[in-house]
Each structure stands twice: as structure tokens, then as C-alpha cells.
Amino acid sequence: MKPKTIIEKIWENHTVLSEPGKPDLLYIDLHMVHEVTSPQAFEGLRLAGRKVRRPDLTFATMDHNVPTTNRQTITDEIAKKQMETLLKNCEEFGIEVADINSPNNGIVHVIGPELGLTQPGKTIVCGDSHTSTHGAFGALAFGIGTSEVEHTLATQTIWQSRPKTMEVRVNGRLAPGVTAKDIILAIIAKHGVDFGTGYVLEYTGEAIRGLTMEERMTICNMSIEAGARAGLISPDQVTFDYLRGREKVPQGEAFERKVEEWKALATDEGATYDAVVEIDTSEIEPMVTWGTNPSQGVGVNGVVPSPEDATSSAERKAIEQSLEYMDLKPGTKMTDIEIQHVFIGSCTNSRLSDLRAAAKIAKGRKVKEGVRALVVPGSQRVKKAAEEEGLDKIFIEAGFEWRESGCSMCLSMNPDFVPEGERCASTSNRNFEGRQGKGARTHLVSPEMAAAAAVAGKFVDIRTLETEATSQS
Amino acid sequence: MEPIVKHTGNTAVLPRVNVDTDQIIPKQFLKRVERTGFGQFLFFDWRFLKDGSDNPDFELNQPAAKDATILIADHNFGCGSSREHAPWALQDYGFRVIIAPSFADIFYNNCFKNGILPIRLDEEKVYELMENGKDKVYELTVDLENQTITDSNGFQASFEIDDYWKEMLLNGWDEISLTLQYEDKIAAYEEKQSV
């Protein structure tokens, strides 16, 4: 039999219909729903008198709008209405929801894996572009628009053209002080903000195999920042060990039978891709972005580039526009850029290991005067686990604000934002204009780099800090 | 959904690369539970000054771009967030056609569901259209049936589009109704896979 990639295997397992002149009709195993991109979809169902076909394969949470201080008093009336609408819709259509008071509440891409809803071989959709996160488990997971949310609710399927496949090979081992976040930022910086458009990415190579599940999620999360709707990693023992015993996976022997099925999903030896890109870990330093898209980043010891470095007129224009918005001059050392805000959180970097890594840097140090630093756990479970380890105390002692879970300052739909003209070192995924607030200037970094920036008030190479973190990857 | 067969309209030129959906519709406008009324917020942070007045430098505020229904954009248009509020805002503002050298995948799909025709065209052709439409009223005719773009001065280009999406737009079909015709196939799949 012809060797196949995991992408082809999952696709073929889920094709309900494949006819010439049409995209394929794909079955969806898990549909995750949140408050912002679903109200119009439910309203559409109601107007057409339709039901949710498989409420049992649908799971809802609220994350984008939720306040991270007092969760019981939502002052934003429109946000409140959106959350109430979700609750009403879930009740009417019989969908399980992790509401604001649930111990399972959190960012949709944090709780899916945490609960074990996310599993190898599944097709997963959500009205959110960072759904690619779930690919870390060897699932085919991608973001959809609200019309597709409605379509999935009504039919449990989606029309999709068969994507091209791309191998993204990360060669070598990760050097100390370099993180999963740096790998993905370096890949996007090297290959461009849209190199993945039209493709599903599979991350392979020694460096990827050596990553924990949480680190793999950070990588897959940002596939969309390369233009790829989905990015995944073939499942292995690390994946199975993470999932064993979680609430929504089969238990006992049934789980071990599943593992045997999942093992067969991994890309076959000798399978080929439509395209291959590579990066060597020796090229990767702790990264900092300087611009207004995630590909505009350099190693922390680098400098802000010049429009003169551009290879096309379009790129030159993009650099000029970014530098103007970011108020940066070409040639400025990244380590000379001062920041006023730090955000540790988001579906990219808000899991327990992210908080541990940041806490290692924060421990025994103080946030620089004039810097506001927020730590926003990805879920209520992450928050609880972190508090059990005393991470909250380390952060508070160091002068960080310890918050409730949610999307928070990643997109600032809730009350957390960066004021106009100020700079933020952020562990989130997008440095777009206005993303963290109108006129706010975002620099994307790893949790370690963010914590170090909070202490120094500017970017520092974490490899120069004396801490336990520098001896670990 | 309103069908598109042949559309003639004025163009607006937006020569910026990587225009993300956060720019098309900033997050503060995503809290509505309706599908309509987003046009007033389109490109909000670029379109308006702090005091709420029109930003005279922004491309869509140029006199020639007023009443435009065809947007000529640059590479990777619509990247970033999956928010369908972006095509809702473009459509509500009045755009029916967007022409660019490349689009982000999710945005591209979202357009078809909302009666907007996104056209991928060679970079040179797009830049030629941008030049033609720069600072003046410039009318184009987009013929979906024949997959052509023409102007009154002899410009002509043809474009590719998936047959499936073409049919949807030509007929203004509701995709869910179409899918439900295959209900037996979906049920058979569920049975076979025990899902």
C-alpha cells in the first residue's frame, strides 16, 4: 500500500462524500463553540427551524469576553448579553457548556486537551482560527467562520477542498533557553507569514519529538500565523501519556485499545508531501517580534531591520508601515526596546508549564517600576494547579498581577488592554495593529522572555540570566 | 444570499499587504449577536480619526473610492482571525467583489457564504488594476458566468474559481439546504463509524 501522511489518513477516514467538481464533505468529530462567533449561527438555525444534529459532539465554553478580575460582575453589558446568549442557546439545543462558574471553564484551546476531548485522529472545528492548536495531538483541527459553525451544528459536516500537505522539519535538538515559542516564531520569520496558505502542516524532526504536549500545542497553535488553517504532529507515546486518565477519554483497557488505533495514524515511513520546509535548531535564538505581523521577528540579539533589506516592493512597504506603527528605527537593538506592559497568557502560552517557566524567572526578582505585568492562566484548572504549586505567590511577590482565566489581553475584548502608544511584551500569537488595544504596540515572545522583560523593563536574552530555567529547554 | 451573476461597479484600491481581519473589523465590534450593521465599523481604526471624523489619508475615504463595490487589495488579504464579521462588514459597507493576488484561506471561504466574490488574480494584473484605479473613479465589470474582468478601455482578464463556489454564488444557494440533501450519506457514515 502507498505510504500515507497522517493528514491523508484522517481525511480519508472522515470523507462522507467525494464527488468531482465539489469539495469533499468531511465529517466532524468535535465541534467547540464559544460566545463570540456562535450567536448568529444559533439564530440561523432557529430561523430555519433546524436542530443541532449532534449536541453530544459539541462542547461550548466562554473565554473571549470574560473578565479576569471579578468574574461575577460583568460590567460590559454587550459582552454580558453575548455570554447569556450562549447559555440560552446551549440550553435550548442541549449542548454541554463550561460556563463562567464551571471548574472546567477556560480558553477553548486549553480546555479541549485538558478534558481529553481533543484526541488523535479526530476532525475538530471551532469558530476560532487558533483551533490549529489541537493538531498537537495528531488531530485535523481548523478554524471556521460563523456560517460554517451553523453548517456544522446543523449537519455535523463541512465542505472542504482537499488541502495540500507540507512537512515542516525541525532538525537538531533545542538549545537551552530556546523554547517552543521560539521555534514557531523562527519558522514563520524564516518562511513568511503566508507560506502555509492552502496547506496543512505536519511538524516533524528530532526537535519536535523531544517536546512535551504543551510545547507541541504552542507550535501548532501558531500554524495559522503562517497562513495554514491546520498544523499537526503525529501522535506518539508523549501524546498517549498526556491523555491517559483524562475525563473525556476512554478509561482502562478501552484506552489501551484506542492507543493501538492511534499508533496507526502516524505518517508512514516513505510518505511524501506536496512541499517541505526545514529549519535547524542551531538557527534559533530566543525570538522577539518588532513588527505588526508574526513573521516580523528576530533573535533577541538582533536589530530592527531596515526597509532597505526588503526583497520586494511589497515587503518594503510592509516594513515601512510596521516601523511607523511600532515607532521603531532600523538598526535599533532589540535589547534596547523598553516595554511598559507584560502579558503572560493566551491559547499559545498559558498552560501550567508556561507559568512554571515564567515563575522560574520571576522568582526572587521584582517587576521593574512602571511596568504592569499580568499573568492570566489559560483555564480554571491551570489556575488551580498553579496555585497548588505556589506559582501565584511567586508572581504576586515579584509584582505581577495574578488573574482569573480567559483570552484577556491577547485580543482585549474584555477590559484588559494596552493603552495607545505603549509597548507590551506578550506571550500571545498576534502582533497586529490594535490587537491589544488601539495604538498598542505588541512584541511577541516566550513566557520566559516575557517574565525577564517584566523585570528588566526591556528585552533581555534569558540565556544570560542566572536561573534554573537556563539549564532546561 | 443575494446571487452574483454579473457585477459592474466602481473600485476602491487598498495597496497594503497582509491586511488582517483585526483591521477589517476591530475586536470591540465583535460583541453584537446580530449578523447585520457591521459596515459602519469597517476598517474602523484606519478609517476614522480619534475625534470620530473621517481620516482623509485612508484609501477608502478618497472621493474616487466612495460608493465603490469592488475592492482591489494586495497579498494575503484577510489573514488572521476567522471572524466572519470581516466579510459581514465588507458586504454591509457595499462590497460585492474583492480582487487580490492572494487571500487567507478562512477569509476566502467566509466570503462565499456571504455573497461576496473573492477573485485571485495574477499580481501583475492586480497591480495594473490598482494603477488604473489610483485616485480616480474606475469602473469594472466582473462576469462570474464567464469568469472575466473587463473595463471600458480594453482591460481584460480571466480568473479561476472552483465550480462549487461558482454555482453557490450564481444561484445564491443556502449551503445547509444543499448538504441536507445528503442526509442519508451522513447517517450512513455515522452508522458505519459508530459515531
Side-chain angles (χ1 to χ4, degrees):
Chain A
M1 228 169 48
K2 183 180 171 283
K4 286 178 184 166
T5 65
I6 180 171
I7 302 160
E8 294 165 286
K9 292 182 198 182
I10 299 177
W11 195 273
E12 285 161 16
N13 286 342
H14 290 84
T15 307
V16 173
L17 186 82
S18 184
E19 288 179 351
K22 284 197 185 84
D24 288 351
L25 188 63
L26 272 197
Y27 198 80
I28 300 303
D29 294 321
L30 173 64
H31 183 194
M32 301 200 69
V33 172
H34 66 80
E35 79 275 25
V36 177
T37 56
S38 69
Q40 295 88 350
F42 284 110
E43 185 61 16
L45 288 186
R46 253 191 304 270
L47 289 173
R50 290 173 177 139
K51 288 196 171 63
V52 173
R53 182 178 181 88
R54 294 298 298 268
D56 59 321
L57 302 181
T58 312
F59 190 92
T61 189
M62 38 189 74
D63 53 6
H64 283 63
N65 269 331
V66 301
T68 56
T69 47
N70 185 351
R71 286 159 71 91
Q72 302 314 320
T73 320
I74 297 160
T75 50
D76 181 339
E77 285 301 321
I78 319 175
K80 191 172 165 189
K81 186 176 173 204
Q82 213 170 40
M83 288 184 253
E84 286 168 357
T85 303
L86 179 70
L87 280 183
K88 248 182 7 215
N89 285 331
C90 287
E91 191 181 351
E92 180 181 339
F93 291 96
I95 295 166
E96 185 177 351
V97 54
D99 70 25
I100 203 159
N101 299 312
S102 164
N104 294 338
N105 179 261
I107 304 176
V108 62
H109 311 309
V110 175
I111 66 170
E114 207 169 65
L115 293 170
L117 284 163
T118 306
Q119 293 170 20
K122 278 192 178 182
T123 45
I124 302 175
V125 296
C126 173
D128 188 283
S129 61
H130 292 111
T131 306
S132 58
T133 312
H134 306 262
F137 291 79
L140 183 66
F142 50 91
I144 56 177
T146 298
S147 294
E148 291 173 313
V149 169
E150 184 180 339
H151 189 277
T152 308
L153 289 170
T155 70
Q156 203 58 32
T157 62
I158 204 157
W159 294 97
Q160 284 286 298
S161 299
R162 209 177 164 117
K164 291 178 283 182
T165 60
M166 187 188 290
E167 180 182 18
V168 180
R169 202 182 307 146
V170 187
N171 299 314
R173 287 194 194 167
L174 216 49
V178 180
T179 69
K181 182 65 162 286
D182 303 311
I183 296 181
I184 189 65
L185 283 173
I187 291 171
I188 300 169
K190 181 175 177 180
H191 296 287
V193 72
D194 58 355
F195 81 89
T197 303
Y199 289 90
V200 172
L201 312 181
E202 181 181 354
Y203 300 95
T204 68
E206 190 186 0
I208 298 294
R209 283 292 139 218
L211 298 178
T212 65
M213 280 320 298
E214 298 195 347
E215 292 171 320
R216 292 178 188 186
M217 285 186 244
T218 299
I219 304 252
C220 290
N221 172 273
M222 289 189 69
S223 303
I224 185 65
E225 310 315 331
R229 283 183 92 167
L232 48 64
I233 294 171
S234 283
D236 59 15
Q237 200 56 44
V238 177
T239 322
F240 313 140
D241 291 344
Y242 176 98
L243 285 173
R244 189 176 288 107
R246 297 208 175 246
E247 204 172 311
K248 304 274 187 183
V249 298
Q251 304 295 322
E253 272 186 37
F255 182 80
E256 301 312 322
R257 279 197 300 277
K258 269 284 174 200
V259 167
E260 290 312 307
E261 261 178 56
W262 292 339
K263 279 182 182 165
L265 285 168
T267 291
D268 299 328
E269 192 73 39
T272 55
Y273 301 82
D274 295 309
V276 180
V277 299
E278 291 186 70
I279 194 164
D280 288 318
T281 49
S282 58
E283 301 172 44
I284 308 176
E285 276 197 293
M287 297 287 293
V288 184
T289 65
W290 50 265
T292 56
N293 78 54
S295 75
Q296 294 178 320
V298 290
V300 60
N301 296 308
V303 297
V304 175
S306 161
E308 303 304 314
D309 305 337
T311 50
S312 68
S313 64
E315 193 193 347
R316 179 162 52 240
K317 214 159 54 183
I319 296 177
E320 282 167 356
Q321 201 180 314
S322 294
L323 293 184
E324 191 190 333
Y325 181 85
M326 295 295 288
D327 191 26
L328 288 172
K329 298 222 161 26
T332 306
K333 283 181 170 174
M334 295 311 289
T335 48
D336 285 344
I337 298 174
E338 294 185 355
I339 53 100
Q340 296 77 41
H341 302 264
V342 169
F343 171 60
I344 298 175
S346 88
C347 57
T348 314
N349 281 125
S350 64
R351 298 177 181 85
L352 188 58
S353 58
D354 297 315
L355 304 189
R356 282 180 185 153
K360 254 179 203 156
I361 303 275
K363 192 171 185 176
R365 296 192 166 93
K366 290 279 179 207
V367 170
K368 193 179 167 76
E369 207 183 312
V371 174
R372 180 179 70 140
L374 260 59
V375 184
V376 182
S379 70
Q380 288 296 294
R381 285 181 183 227
V382 169
K383 179 168 186 269
K384 189 161 172 273
E387 286 172 354
E388 279 165 11
E389 291 183 14
L391 300 185
D392 56 329
K393 292 197 183 66
I394 295 174
F395 284 122
I396 292 165
E397 176 70 18
F400 289 78
E401 295 177 35
W402 178 249
R403 296 291 189 91
E404 297 287 342
S405 63
C407 296
S408 179
M409 214 193 261
C410 172
L411 83 167
S412 301
M413 273 191 78
N414 79 340
D416 308 332
F417 69 98
V418 177
E420 189 161 358
E422 299 193 6
R423 279 182 207 286
C424 182
S426 179
T427 67
S428 54
N429 38 57
R430 288 191 174 132
N431 48 354
F432 295 159
E433 289 183 28
R435 176 81 178 176
Q436 295 193 294
K438 189 178 160 77
R441 295 169 180 145
T442 303
H443 298 270
L444 302 177
V445 288
S446 70
E448 290 90 327
M449 285 289 290
V455 170
K458 56 185 190 153
F459 294 109
V460 288
D461 185 344
I462 51 164
R463 294 170 300 184
T464 63
L465 295 180
E466 278 180 34
T467 153
E468 293 166 68
T470 52
S471 63
Q472 297 194 0
S473 62
Chain B
M1 191 174 75
E2 202 185 324
I4 298 185
V5 180
K6 195 171 184 176
H7 177 81
T8 299
N10 289 340
T11 57
V13 176
L14 189 65
R16 306 183 188 213
V17 292
N18 303 321
V19 171
D20 57 73
T21 53
D22 273 76
Q23 305 318 317
I24 298 174
I25 180 93
K27 74 292 190 106
Q28 63 267 38
F29 308 114
L30 306 185
K31 293 175 188 169
R32 297 156 61 93
V33 294
E34 299 85 19
R35 239 176 223 267
T36 50
F38 287 97
Q40 55 188 313
F41 310 125
L42 180 72
F43 293 117
F44 193 85
D45 290 350
W46 286 347
R47 200 169 129 204
F48 301 108
L49 296 174
K50 259 186 220 162
D51 63 4
S53 63
D54 284 2
N55 174 4
D57 296 333
F58 182 53
E59 290 88 340
L60 260 54
N61 289 336
Q62 304 313 306
K66 291 283 175 200
D67 308 319
T69 57
I70 300 173
L71 182 65
I72 305 173
D74 213 327
H75 277 286
N76 201 25
F77 187 79
C79 61
S81 160
S82 63
R83 58 187 71 162
E84 200 162 313
H85 310 69
W88 292 340
L90 286 159
Q91 202 260 2
D92 192 50
Y93 183 87
F95 288 113
R96 298 302 311 277
V97 178
I98 306 171
I99 302 171
S102 64
F103 292 90
D105 286 341
I106 303 178
F107 176 82
Y108 184 77
N109 272 330
N110 282 343
C111 284
F112 290 111
K113 325 273 167 147
N114 293 286
I116 296 176
L117 169 60
I119 298 176
R120 291 191 190 112
L121 203 63
D122 286 346
E123 187 184 273
E124 306 85 78
K125 290 277 184 196
V126 174
Y127 292 167
E128 189 181 335
L129 289 177
M130 282 189 179
E131 205 48 47
N132 293 347
K134 199 177 168 189
D135 303 326
K136 58 176 181 290
V137 176
Y138 179 53
E139 191 183 81
L140 280 179
T141 295
V142 174
D143 183 339
L144 176 58
E145 189 94 61
N146 296 304
Q147 298 175 213
T148 59
I149 304 170
T150 49
D151 71 5
S152 53
N153 300 320
F155 177 91
Q156 190 143 19
S158 58
F159 60 90
E160 295 294 317
I161 180 172
D162 207 88
D163 287 343
Y164 175 79
W165 294 122
K166 183 175 170 178
E167 284 296 301
M168 298 289 276
L169 279 182
L170 285 174
N171 296 291
W173 277 336
D174 158 26
E175 200 182 28
I176 298 177
S177 306
L178 188 89
T179 309
L180 288 173
Q181 293 171 11
Y182 300 105
E183 208 280 325
D184 57 330
K185 293 239 178 350
I186 298 171
Y189 176 92
E190 287 173 328
E191 174 84 30
K192 191 173 144 232
Q193 302 286 334
S194 318
V195 280

